Amino acid sequence: MSNRQISMNSDLQVQEGTVIWNKSIRFLRRFQSLFGLLIIILAATILCTRDGENLFLSPANLANVVRSVSENGIMAIGLTLVILIGGIDLSVGAILGLAATGAADLMMHRSMGMFETVLIVLAIGAALGMFNGVISTKLRIQPFIVTLAAMSIARGIARYWSNGTGIPISYGQDAFLAPPAFSMLSSRIWGIPVPALCFIGLGILFTIMLKYTRFGRHVYAIGGNETAAHLSGIPVIRIKIFIFALCGVLAAIAGLIHASQLSQGSPNDGIGYELNAIAAAAIGGTNLAGGKGTIIGTLIGALILGVLDNMLGLLNVNTNIQSIVKGLIIIAAVYLQKQK
């Protein structure tokens, strides 16, 4: 074999190796959230062992993990929709607090049934979300500013409604007691927490909606290029308002679950929750500039944060250190998005 042939074969091997390497990198980047979740689960499995017992893998602890991520995950679904159209919603945590406060007040002080309470609370969430959508689209004010104002409005309504105090929830059949059915939101079915079933069910519903419906295609089109979407006949303003309303409804659902789990509604509930929900969407691969992301990715992002919190808690890591770790992970996730 001549030197020329040897050189050509060597070049071909290098090119093949480069192609395989590039394909591997693209594969890892495509599923980076899933790999991140598997790595954190593996770390928790290895580290959280005490006296020969694996604390992380115990059924009770795993149920606690999926239960604890449900509220954040449900809000993150709504935020993913908003981010996909190029927006942001900072009011979801305050809407959760308002929903929890409203539910507690309506059942405990107004003697309302569960059905009426849920309808009113969801309507409040939808109204606040619609407020965000209408003001940001019709008046052309940045969603960041509008939802920041809505956060203050929702928190103020909750504090006025409850006189600034938490409202404990007690169950019973008598007047001015919450219907026992409301406690179902904090119970378990077949050993699985109901909040987790709500979280998974909503995730499946909105995944189907985004992936297989014309509405979902419109959402991605608006986030990709709003001007082009408008020129192609997509009702951009109407869809944006509807998305913000959906986000408000999902935050209200999280608030109902929150009130049931804690057996109270407080105007201070949900403070800072919006940041965790945004983090779940970002870690799950949703592009904060809009137009790119999936609900499945967001669910994985919420689980990553939940498993991380649980692992650090089991290891008795200082809460301030936990915040630092989560912040670094968010930065890393957003950086990896930019490399795609």
Side-chain angles (χ1 to χ4, degrees), residues 41 63 86 108 115 153 168 198 207 236 256 274 277 299 305 307 323 331:
I41 289 175
M108 298 301 298
F115 182 74
I153 291 170
C198 295
T207 294
V236 173
L256 290 167
E274 63 279 350
L299 302 187
L305 289 175
V307 172
S323 297
I331 292 173

Side-chain angles (χ1 to χ4, degrees), residues 80-133:
T80 299
L81 298 174
V82 171
I83 293 171
L84 284 175
I85 59 171
I88 196 71
D89 191 341
L90 300 179
S91 67
V92 290
I95 293 175
L96 179 148
L98 175 58
T101 302
D105 179 82
L106 291 173
M107 290 185 294
M108 298 301 298
H109 296 165
R110 322 273 174 189
S111 195
M112 283 194 179
M114 179 176 172
F115 182 74
E116 301 97 313
T117 297
V118 170
L119 279 184
I120 292 172
V121 167
L122 294 184
I124 291 172
L128 282 168
M130 192 172 293
F131 170 85
N132 289 332

Side-chain angles (χ1 to χ4, degrees), residues 1 22 94 152 161 195:
M1 184 180 292
N22 289 336
S152 179
W161 198 343

Side-chain angles (χ1 to χ4, degrees), residues 11 39 63 117 156 222 235 258 261 294 312 320:
D11 290 342
I39 290 170
T117 297
I222 292 170
H258 184 85
Q261 292 197 105
T294 64
L312 295 177
N320 296 315

Side-chain angles (χ1 to χ4, degrees), residues 65-78:
V65 170
V66 293
R67 179 196 58 76
S68 65
V69 304
S70 60
E71 296 172 25
N72 181 45
I74 290 171
M75 287 193 300
I77 292 171

Side-chain angles (χ1 to χ4, degrees), residues 8 23 25 29 36 45 51 64 80 85 104 133 139 148 158 195 198 205 207 220 240 244 257 265 294-295 310 326 329:
M8 289 177 63
K23 286 183 177 179
I25 293 298
R29 285 176 175 168
T45 302
D51 298 328
N64 184 57
T80 299
I85 59 171
L139 300 186
L148 185 64
C198 295
L205 173 64
T207 294
Y220 284 109
K240 279 189 164 187
F244 273 103
I257 292 172
T294 64
I295 299 298
N310 184 261
K326 284 201 294 186
I329 288 177

